[in-house]
Amino acid sequence: MKNIAIIGSTGSIGRQTVNVVQRYPERFRVVALCAGGDGQTFLEQVRALRPEYCALYDERAAEGVRAHVPQGVAFASGKAACAAVAGYDLADTVVVAVSGFAGLEYVLTAVQAKKDIALANKESLVCGGELVLSAVKEQGVHLAPVDSEHSALWQCLAFRRDAPYRRLILTASGGPFRTLSKAELAKVTVRDALKHPTWNMGAKITIDSATLLNKGFEVIEAQWLYNAPPEKIDTVVHPESIVHSLVELEDGAVLAQMSYPSMELPIQLALTYPERFPVGIRPLNLAEIGALHFYPLDQEKFPCFALALQSAKAGGTMPCILNGAGEVAVQSFLRERISFTGIAEIIEEVLSAAVPQRADSFAALVAADDWARRKAEAVIVKRSV
Ligand code: MG
Protein backbone atom coordinates (compact mmCIF):
# COMPACT_ATOMS: atom_id res chain seq x y z
CA MET A 1 0.00 0.00 0.00
CA LYS A 2 1.40 3.38 -1.04
CA ASN A 3 0.33 6.50 0.86
CA ILE A 4 -0.16 9.46 -1.44
CA ALA A 5 -0.55 13.21 -0.99
CA ILE A 6 -1.97 15.22 -3.91
CA ILE A 7 -1.17 18.90 -4.45
CA GLY A 8 -3.81 20.34 -6.77
CA SER A 9 -6.38 17.54 -6.64
CA THR A 10 -9.17 19.30 -8.55
CA GLY A 11 -7.16 20.26 -11.66
CA SER A 12 -6.84 18.09 -14.75
CA ILE A 13 -3.88 16.01 -13.49
CA GLY A 14 -5.28 15.94 -9.93
CA ARG A 15 -8.62 14.49 -11.06
CA GLN A 16 -6.87 11.88 -13.19
CA THR A 17 -4.66 10.98 -10.21
CA VAL A 18 -7.83 10.35 -8.23
CA ASN A 19 -9.06 8.05 -11.04
CA VAL A 20 -5.80 6.08 -10.80
CA VAL A 21 -6.11 5.77 -7.02
CA GLN A 22 -9.73 4.63 -7.28
CA ARG A 23 -8.80 2.03 -9.91
CA TYR A 24 -6.44 0.34 -7.43
CA PRO A 25 -7.75 0.94 -3.89
CA GLU A 26 -5.68 -2.01 -2.65
CA ARG A 27 -2.48 -0.31 -3.84
CA PHE A 28 -3.01 3.37 -3.13
CA ARG A 29 -4.42 5.43 -0.32
CA VAL A 30 -4.72 9.22 -0.43
CA VAL A 31 -3.73 10.42 3.04
CA ALA A 32 -3.76 14.16 2.30
CA LEU A 33 -4.83 16.45 -0.52
CA CYS A 34 -5.19 20.12 -1.28
CA ALA A 35 -6.81 22.19 -4.01
CA GLY A 36 -7.23 25.82 -5.02
CA GLY A 37 -10.80 27.12 -5.07
CA ASP A 38 -13.05 24.44 -6.58
CA GLY A 39 -14.89 23.57 -3.36
CA GLN A 40 -17.49 21.35 -5.04
CA THR A 41 -15.00 18.94 -6.69
CA PHE A 42 -12.83 19.08 -3.56
CA LEU A 43 -15.72 17.95 -1.34
CA GLU A 44 -16.65 15.12 -3.71
CA GLN A 45 -13.05 13.92 -3.60
CA VAL A 46 -12.78 14.19 0.18
CA ARG A 47 -16.02 12.23 0.62
CA ALA A 48 -14.86 9.51 -1.77
CA LEU A 49 -11.24 9.24 -0.63
CA ARG A 50 -11.53 9.99 3.11
CA PRO A 51 -8.02 11.40 3.54
CA GLU A 52 -6.73 12.16 7.05
CA TYR A 53 -6.07 15.76 6.15
CA CYS A 54 -7.23 18.14 3.44
CA ALA A 55 -6.83 21.82 2.66
CA LEU A 56 -8.18 24.50 0.34
CA TYR A 57 -5.96 27.40 -0.72
CA ASP A 58 -8.77 29.86 -1.33
CA GLU A 59 -10.15 31.17 1.99
CA ARG A 60 -13.56 32.12 0.58
CA ALA A 61 -14.09 28.73 -1.02
CA ALA A 62 -12.99 27.19 2.29
CA GLU A 63 -15.81 28.97 4.14
CA GLY A 64 -18.37 27.31 1.90
CA VAL A 65 -16.79 23.90 2.40
CA ARG A 66 -15.88 23.80 6.10
CA ALA A 67 -19.26 22.65 7.45
CA HIS A 68 -19.48 19.83 4.88
CA VAL A 69 -16.12 18.13 5.42
CA PRO A 70 -16.86 14.62 6.80
CA GLN A 71 -16.16 13.94 10.46
CA GLY A 72 -12.73 12.48 11.11
CA VAL A 73 -11.12 14.41 8.25
CA ALA A 74 -8.96 17.33 9.38
CA PHE A 75 -9.50 20.47 7.29
CA ALA A 76 -7.59 23.73 7.06
CA SER A 77 -7.30 26.62 4.61
CA GLY A 78 -4.69 28.97 3.22
CA LYS A 79 -1.18 28.72 1.88
CA ALA A 80 0.51 27.15 4.91
CA ALA A 81 -2.30 24.58 5.18
CA CYS A 82 -1.58 23.49 1.59
CA ALA A 83 2.18 23.40 2.20
CA ALA A 84 1.44 21.00 5.09
CA VAL A 85 0.04 18.53 2.52
CA ALA A 86 3.41 18.54 0.70
CA GLY A 87 5.19 17.58 3.91
CA TYR A 88 2.45 15.35 5.32
CA ASP A 89 4.00 12.88 7.75
CA LEU A 90 2.26 9.73 6.53
CA ALA A 91 2.71 10.32 2.80
CA ASP A 92 5.26 8.23 0.87
CA THR A 93 4.80 10.01 -2.46
CA VAL A 94 3.60 13.53 -3.22
CA VAL A 95 1.92 14.11 -6.58
CA VAL A 96 2.58 17.74 -7.50
CA ALA A 97 -0.21 18.53 -9.94
CA VAL A 98 -0.54 22.31 -9.73
CA SER A 99 0.63 24.41 -12.65
CA GLY A 100 2.95 27.39 -12.63
CA PHE A 101 5.74 28.76 -10.44
CA ALA A 102 3.58 28.00 -7.38
CA GLY A 103 4.54 24.35 -7.76
CA LEU A 104 8.21 24.95 -6.94
CA GLU A 105 7.66 25.63 -3.24
CA TYR A 106 5.55 22.46 -2.86
CA VAL A 107 8.22 20.38 -4.59
CA LEU A 108 10.98 21.76 -2.36
CA THR A 109 8.87 21.28 0.79
CA ALA A 110 8.10 17.67 -0.14
CA VAL A 111 11.71 16.85 -1.01
CA GLN A 112 12.98 18.37 2.24
CA ALA A 113 10.43 16.18 4.06
CA LYS A 114 12.02 13.18 2.26
CA LYS A 115 8.97 12.38 0.12
CA ASP A 116 9.22 10.75 -3.28
CA ILE A 117 7.85 13.05 -5.97
CA ALA A 118 5.54 12.32 -8.89
CA LEU A 119 6.11 15.53 -10.82
CA ALA A 120 3.48 16.99 -13.12
CA ASN A 121 4.61 20.57 -12.42
CA LYS A 122 7.22 21.26 -15.12
CA GLU A 123 7.62 24.90 -14.10
CA SER A 124 9.41 23.85 -10.90
CA LEU A 125 12.19 22.37 -13.05
CA VAL A 126 12.12 25.18 -15.62
CA CYS A 127 12.52 27.78 -12.85
CA GLY A 128 14.35 25.86 -10.14
CA GLY A 129 15.90 22.81 -11.79
CA GLU A 130 19.28 23.34 -10.13
CA LEU A 131 17.70 23.70 -6.68
CA VAL A 132 15.24 20.80 -7.08
CA LEU A 133 17.77 18.31 -8.47
CA SER A 134 20.38 19.07 -5.82
CA ALA A 135 17.75 18.70 -3.06
CA VAL A 136 16.54 15.41 -4.59
CA LYS A 137 20.13 14.11 -4.57
CA GLU A 138 20.84 15.36 -1.06
CA GLN A 139 17.68 13.85 0.43
CA GLY A 140 17.97 10.62 -1.57
CA VAL A 141 14.35 10.69 -2.77
CA HIS A 142 12.95 9.51 -6.11
CA LEU A 143 11.73 11.95 -8.72
CA ALA A 144 9.33 10.41 -11.25
CA PRO A 145 8.20 12.45 -14.26
CA VAL A 146 4.48 12.66 -15.04
CA ASP A 147 4.78 14.83 -18.16
CA SER A 148 3.95 12.40 -20.99
CA GLU A 149 7.10 13.11 -23.02
CA HIS A 150 9.41 12.79 -20.04
CA SER A 151 7.64 9.67 -18.88
CA ALA A 152 8.20 8.26 -22.38
CA LEU A 153 11.94 9.05 -22.19
CA TRP A 154 12.10 7.53 -18.70
CA GLN A 155 10.38 4.36 -19.92
CA CYS A 156 12.82 4.09 -22.87
CA LEU A 157 15.67 4.52 -20.36
CA ALA A 158 14.27 1.69 -18.18
CA PHE A 159 13.29 4.14 -15.41
CA ARG A 160 16.86 5.32 -14.95
CA ARG A 161 17.36 9.07 -15.14
CA ASP A 162 21.15 8.51 -15.23
CA ALA A 163 21.12 5.90 -18.02
CA PRO A 164 23.43 6.53 -21.00
CA TYR A 165 21.95 7.67 -24.33
CA ARG A 166 23.08 9.49 -27.43
CA ARG A 167 20.04 11.70 -28.03
CA LEU A 168 16.61 12.47 -26.61
CA ILE A 169 13.87 13.15 -29.17
CA LEU A 170 10.85 15.00 -27.80
CA THR A 171 7.65 14.89 -29.80
CA ALA A 172 5.27 17.84 -30.01
CA SER A 173 1.70 17.71 -31.27
CA GLY A 174 2.30 21.15 -32.75
CA GLY A 175 -0.87 22.46 -31.09
CA PRO A 176 -4.07 23.56 -32.83
CA PHE A 177 -2.37 26.19 -35.04
CA ARG A 178 0.36 24.08 -36.61
CA THR A 179 -0.83 24.77 -40.16
CA LEU A 180 -1.77 28.47 -39.78
CA SER A 181 0.27 31.26 -41.35
CA LYS A 182 1.88 33.96 -39.19
CA ALA A 183 -0.82 36.43 -40.23
CA GLU A 184 -3.58 33.98 -39.28
CA LEU A 185 -1.88 33.34 -35.92
CA ALA A 186 -2.25 37.01 -34.97
CA LYS A 187 -6.05 36.66 -35.24
CA VAL A 188 -6.72 33.48 -33.27
CA THR A 189 -9.20 33.78 -30.42
CA VAL A 190 -9.12 32.45 -26.86
CA ARG A 191 -11.77 29.88 -27.87
CA ASP A 192 -9.63 28.63 -30.77
CA ALA A 193 -6.55 28.40 -28.55
CA LEU A 194 -8.35 26.42 -25.85
CA LYS A 195 -9.23 23.64 -28.31
CA HIS A 196 -6.27 21.28 -28.30
CA PRO A 197 -6.45 18.65 -31.07
CA THR A 198 -5.18 15.63 -29.10
CA TRP A 199 -4.92 16.40 -25.36
CA ASN A 200 -7.56 17.61 -22.91
CA MET A 201 -5.76 19.74 -20.28
CA GLY A 202 -5.99 22.81 -18.06
CA ALA A 203 -6.23 26.30 -19.62
CA LYS A 204 -2.65 27.44 -18.98
CA ILE A 205 -0.92 24.41 -20.47
CA THR A 206 -3.36 24.38 -23.39
CA ILE A 207 -2.32 27.93 -24.32
CA ASP A 208 1.34 27.08 -23.68
CA SER A 209 0.89 24.13 -26.07
CA ALA A 210 -0.63 26.38 -28.73
CA THR A 211 2.32 28.82 -28.56
CA LEU A 212 4.81 25.91 -28.20
CA LEU A 213 6.16 27.62 -25.06
CA ASN A 214 5.18 24.33 -23.41
CA LYS A 215 7.58 22.45 -25.70
CA GLY A 216 10.35 24.91 -24.85
CA PHE A 217 9.62 24.27 -21.15
CA GLU A 218 9.80 20.55 -21.84
CA VAL A 219 13.24 20.83 -23.42
CA ILE A 220 14.46 22.55 -20.23
CA GLU A 221 12.65 19.95 -18.12
CA ALA A 222 14.43 17.16 -20.04
CA GLN A 223 17.78 18.90 -19.58
CA TRP A 224 17.37 18.72 -15.80
CA LEU A 225 15.74 15.29 -15.55
CA TYR A 226 18.22 13.49 -17.82
CA ASN A 227 21.29 15.68 -17.34
CA ALA A 228 21.11 16.49 -21.05
CA PRO A 229 23.13 19.21 -22.76
CA PRO A 230 20.99 21.14 -25.30
CA GLU A 231 22.76 19.54 -28.30
CA LYS A 232 21.56 16.09 -27.18
CA ILE A 233 17.86 17.05 -27.33
CA ASP A 234 15.87 17.25 -30.57
CA THR A 235 12.22 18.14 -30.97
CA VAL A 236 9.97 16.92 -33.76
CA VAL A 237 6.34 17.75 -34.50
CA HIS A 238 4.11 14.68 -34.50
CA PRO A 239 0.46 15.71 -34.82
CA GLU A 240 -1.09 12.31 -33.98
CA SER A 241 0.35 12.28 -30.40
CA ILE A 242 0.89 8.51 -30.58
CA VAL A 243 4.69 8.48 -30.18
CA HIS A 244 5.20 10.25 -26.85
CA SER A 245 8.99 10.64 -27.25
CA LEU A 246 12.05 8.63 -28.28
CA VAL A 247 15.56 7.85 -27.07
CA GLU A 248 18.50 7.14 -29.37
CA LEU A 249 20.97 4.82 -27.64
CA GLU A 250 24.75 4.61 -28.06
CA ASP A 251 24.55 2.04 -30.89
CA GLY A 252 22.01 4.05 -32.90
CA ALA A 253 18.96 2.03 -31.84
CA VAL A 254 15.97 4.30 -31.27
CA LEU A 255 13.30 3.34 -28.74
CA ALA A 256 9.88 5.00 -28.73
CA GLN A 257 6.99 4.78 -26.31
CA MET A 258 3.61 4.72 -28.00
CA SER A 259 -0.01 4.69 -26.92
CA TYR A 260 -3.20 6.60 -27.53
CA PRO A 261 -2.96 9.90 -25.60
CA SER A 262 -3.69 9.29 -21.91
CA MET A 263 -2.28 11.09 -18.89
CA GLU A 264 -3.44 8.30 -16.60
CA LEU A 265 -0.68 6.07 -17.97
CA PRO A 266 2.23 8.36 -16.94
CA ILE A 267 0.48 9.28 -13.65
CA GLN A 268 -0.06 5.66 -12.69
CA LEU A 269 3.41 4.60 -13.80
CA ALA A 270 5.01 7.33 -11.67
CA LEU A 271 3.30 5.65 -8.70
CA THR A 272 3.91 1.96 -9.57
CA TYR A 273 7.20 1.78 -11.55
CA PRO A 274 8.95 -0.47 -12.28
CA GLU A 275 5.71 -2.46 -12.11
CA ARG A 276 2.92 -1.89 -14.61
CA PHE A 277 -0.81 -2.47 -14.31
CA PRO A 278 -3.71 -1.92 -16.74
CA VAL A 279 -4.74 1.73 -17.13
CA GLY A 280 -7.85 1.15 -19.21
CA ILE A 281 -6.66 2.75 -22.46
CA ARG A 282 -7.65 0.91 -25.62
CA PRO A 283 -5.07 -1.26 -27.39
CA LEU A 284 -3.06 0.59 -30.00
CA ASN A 285 -4.40 -0.15 -33.48
CA LEU A 286 -1.68 0.92 -35.92
CA ALA A 287 -3.51 -0.43 -38.97
CA GLU A 288 -6.47 1.78 -38.08
CA ILE A 289 -4.21 4.83 -37.55
CA GLY A 290 -2.54 4.05 -40.88
CA ALA A 291 0.23 6.65 -40.88
CA LEU A 292 2.22 8.61 -38.34
CA HIS A 293 3.63 11.98 -39.41
CA PHE A 294 6.71 13.91 -38.33
CA TYR A 295 7.66 17.50 -39.25
CA PRO A 296 10.34 19.98 -38.22
CA LEU A 297 9.28 22.50 -35.58
CA ASP A 298 8.89 25.99 -37.11
CA GLN A 299 10.69 28.23 -34.60
CA GLU A 300 10.08 31.31 -36.70
CA LYS A 301 6.32 30.84 -36.57
CA PHE A 302 6.36 29.86 -32.89
CA PRO A 303 8.93 32.20 -31.31
CA CYS A 304 8.05 31.14 -27.73
CA PHE A 305 9.93 27.89 -28.34
CA ALA A 306 13.11 29.71 -29.41
CA LEU A 307 12.78 32.15 -26.50
CA ALA A 308 12.66 29.25 -24.06
CA LEU A 309 15.81 27.73 -25.56
CA GLN A 310 17.58 31.10 -25.44
CA SER A 311 16.66 31.56 -21.79
CA ALA A 312 18.02 28.11 -20.97
CA LYS A 313 21.26 28.95 -22.76
CA ALA A 314 21.56 32.21 -20.79
CA GLY A 315 21.00 30.14 -17.64
CA GLY A 316 20.65 31.32 -14.03
CA THR A 317 17.31 32.98 -13.35
CA MET A 318 16.50 33.55 -17.06
CA PRO A 319 14.20 30.50 -17.45
CA CYS A 320 12.40 31.62 -14.28
CA ILE A 321 11.93 35.07 -15.83
CA LEU A 322 10.70 33.45 -19.05
CA ASN A 323 8.13 31.51 -17.03
CA GLY A 324 6.97 34.48 -14.93
CA ALA A 325 6.53 36.66 -18.02
CA GLY A 326 4.78 33.76 -19.76
CA GLU A 327 2.31 33.25 -16.91
CA VAL A 328 1.31 36.93 -16.96
CA ALA A 329 1.13 37.00 -20.78
CA VAL A 330 -1.07 33.89 -20.92
CA GLN A 331 -3.45 35.28 -18.26
CA SER A 332 -3.66 38.52 -20.26
CA PHE A 333 -4.42 36.62 -23.45
CA LEU A 334 -7.14 34.62 -21.65
CA ARG A 335 -8.67 37.94 -20.51
CA GLU A 336 -8.41 39.25 -24.08
CA ARG A 337 -6.02 42.04 -23.12
CA ILE A 338 -3.40 40.93 -25.67
CA SER A 339 -3.42 38.93 -28.92
CA PHE A 340 -2.14 35.38 -29.28
CA THR A 341 1.07 36.55 -30.97
CA GLY A 342 1.37 39.19 -28.23
CA ILE A 343 2.31 36.42 -25.79
CA ALA A 344 5.71 35.90 -27.44
CA GLU A 345 6.22 39.66 -27.83
CA ILE A 346 5.67 40.27 -24.11
CA ILE A 347 8.03 37.45 -23.13
CA GLU A 348 10.69 38.67 -25.55
CA GLU A 349 10.52 42.23 -24.25
CA VAL A 350 10.78 41.08 -20.62
CA LEU A 351 13.71 38.75 -21.37
CA SER A 352 15.59 41.44 -23.27
CA ALA A 353 15.37 43.75 -20.23
CA ALA A 354 16.42 41.04 -17.76
CA VAL A 355 19.83 40.48 -16.18
CA PRO A 356 20.42 36.83 -15.23
CA GLN A 357 21.27 36.14 -11.59
CA ARG A 358 22.37 32.94 -9.91
CA ALA A 359 19.44 30.53 -9.44
CA ASP A 360 20.83 28.68 -6.42
CA SER A 361 18.35 29.84 -3.76
CA PHE A 362 14.57 29.88 -3.47
CA ALA A 363 14.72 33.57 -2.53
CA ALA A 364 16.57 34.40 -5.77
CA LEU A 365 13.89 32.59 -7.79
CA VAL A 366 11.02 34.32 -5.97
CA ALA A 367 12.69 37.67 -6.65
CA ALA A 368 13.20 36.81 -10.34
CA ASP A 369 9.61 35.58 -10.70
CA ASP A 370 8.28 38.71 -9.02
CA TRP A 371 10.41 40.99 -11.19
CA ALA A 372 9.30 39.17 -14.37
CA ARG A 373 5.62 39.47 -13.47
CA ARG A 374 5.82 43.16 -12.69
CA LYS A 375 7.86 43.83 -15.83
CA ALA A 376 5.42 41.85 -18.00
CA GLU A 377 2.46 43.72 -16.52
CA ALA A 378 4.20 47.05 -17.19
CA VAL A 379 4.92 46.03 -20.80
CA ILE A 380 1.26 45.06 -21.32
CA VAL A 381 0.00 48.32 -19.84
CA LYS A 382 2.44 50.34 -21.97
CA ARG A 383 1.26 48.54 -25.15
CA SER A 384 -2.41 49.17 -24.44
CA VAL A 385 -2.17 52.97 -24.07
MG1 MG B 1 4.01 17.21 -22.09
Side-chain angles (χ1 to χ4, degrees):
M1 178 68 89
K2 187 170 266 185
N3 287 335
I4 292 168
I6 307 173
I7 307 290
S9 64
T10 59
S12 174
I13 298 290
R15 291 195 309 271
Q16 293 178 84
T17 303
V18 171
N19 292 344
V20 166
V21 167
Q22 290 181 320
R23 186 176 302 120
Y24 293 106
E26 72 287 3
R27 289 185 196 286
F28 307 122
R29 180 169 165 245
V30 174
V31 291
L33 60 82
C34 67
D38 179 357
Q40 175 97 33
T41 308
F42 174 80
L43 265 184
E44 283 165 20
Q45 292 177 334
V46 169
R47 286 186 183 125
L49 299 167
R50 294 289 171 139
E52 292 186 359
Y53 173 70
C54 61
L56 263 187
Y57 191 94
D58 186 274
E59 301 279 5
R60 274 184 53 190
E63 285 323 300
V65 157
R66 200 174 300 275
H68 306 286
V69 174
Q71 275 209 334
V73 180
F75 173 72
S77 61
K79 192 178 173 189
C82 290
V85 172
Y88 195 72
D89 203 23
L90 234 75
D92 306 310
T93 301
V94 178
V95 180
V96 183
V98 289
S99 75
F101 181 76
L104 175 62
E105 194 167 359
Y106 293 115
V107 172
L108 292 173
T109 301
V111 173
Q112 293 305 343
K114 293 200 187 299
K115 309 299 177 190
D116 289 333
I117 307 289
L119 186 67
N121 176 270
K122 66 192 77 188
E123 294 89 343
S124 52
L125 290 182
V126 170
C127 299
E130 182 185 344
L131 215 54
V132 171
L133 269 298
S134 66
V136 161
K137 201 172 170 188
E138 203 176 287
Q139 300 296 337
V141 299
H142 296 282
L143 175 63
V146 169
D147 209 345
S148 61
E149 295 80 357
H150 305 76
S151 176
L153 298 173
W154 188 53
Q155 292 173 61
C156 295
L157 295 167
F159 306 116
R160 279 180 52 203
R161 291 197 294 103
D162 61 348
Y165 58 85
R166 192 190 281 170
R167 187 165 56 120
L168 306 177
I169 305 166
L170 288 173
T171 53
S173 72
F177 308 135
R178 186 175 59 82
T179 57
L180 295 193
S181 69
K182 269 189 103 168
E184 287 169 318
L185 275 177
K187 289 185 216 139
V188 306
T189 65
V190 172
R191 266 174 75 107
D192 298 333
L194 284 175
K195 276 188 223 133
H196 195 277
T198 50
W199 293 98
N200 186 6
M201 309 173 288
K204 179 185 182 276
I205 187 172
T206 303
I207 303 302
D208 286 346
S209 296
T211 61
L212 296 191
L213 178 60
N214 180 59
K215 206 50 60 180
F217 282 168
E218 291 185 348
V219 170
I220 302 174
E221 186 184 7
Q223 289 179 3
W224 288 112
L225 282 171
Y226 304 107
N227 195 22
E231 65 274 13
K232 286 176 86 170
I233 306 178
D234 281 340
T235 308
V236 64
V237 172
H238 166 48
E240 290 90 359
S241 297
I242 296 292
V243 177
H244 299 305
S245 279
L246 314 90
V247 175
E248 183 182 287
L249 300 170
E250 291 298 346
D251 57 2
V254 177
L255 304 187
Q257 186 254 318
M258 302 165 80
S259 72
Y260 289 111
S262 159
M263 282 313 295
E264 289 191 29
L265 194 158
I267 293 168
Q268 183 172 299
L269 194 57
L271 297 172
T272 66
Y273 75 96
E275 288 189 280
R276 291 177 183 266
F277 303 95
V279 174
I281 49 176
R282 70 190 172 105
L284 187 61
N285 186 336
L286 287 173
E288 184 186 284
I289 294 166
L292 297 173
H293 297 84
F294 300 92
Y295 305 99
L297 192 156
D298 187 342
Q299 297 198 23
E300 212 239 320
K301 210 159 84 178
F302 296 100
C304 283
F305 180 81
L307 289 168
L309 266 50
Q310 282 165 28
S311 79
K313 205 171 163 199
T317 50
M318 289 302 258
C320 184
I321 288 166
L322 165 92
N323 177 72
E327 288 194 36
V328 171
V330 167
Q331 282 310 319
S332 298
F333 170 67
L334 288 171
R335 289 178 192 139
E336 301 181 329
R337 290 175 68 201
I338 62 170
S339 69
F340 182 76
T341 42
I343 296 172
E345 292 161 15
I346 304 294
I347 295 173
E348 184 166 22
E349 195 166 337
V350 173
L351 280 176
S352 67
V355 180
Q357 311 282 338
R358 288 168 61 115
D360 54 0
S361 76
F362 182 63
L365 295 169
V366 169
D369 177 69
D370 184 59
W371 179 87
R373 283 167 199 273
R374 281 187 287 116
K375 182 71 187 170
E377 188 54 42
V379 170
I380 292 163
V381 168
K382 195 183 77 196
R383 284 162 57 108
S384 61
V385 291

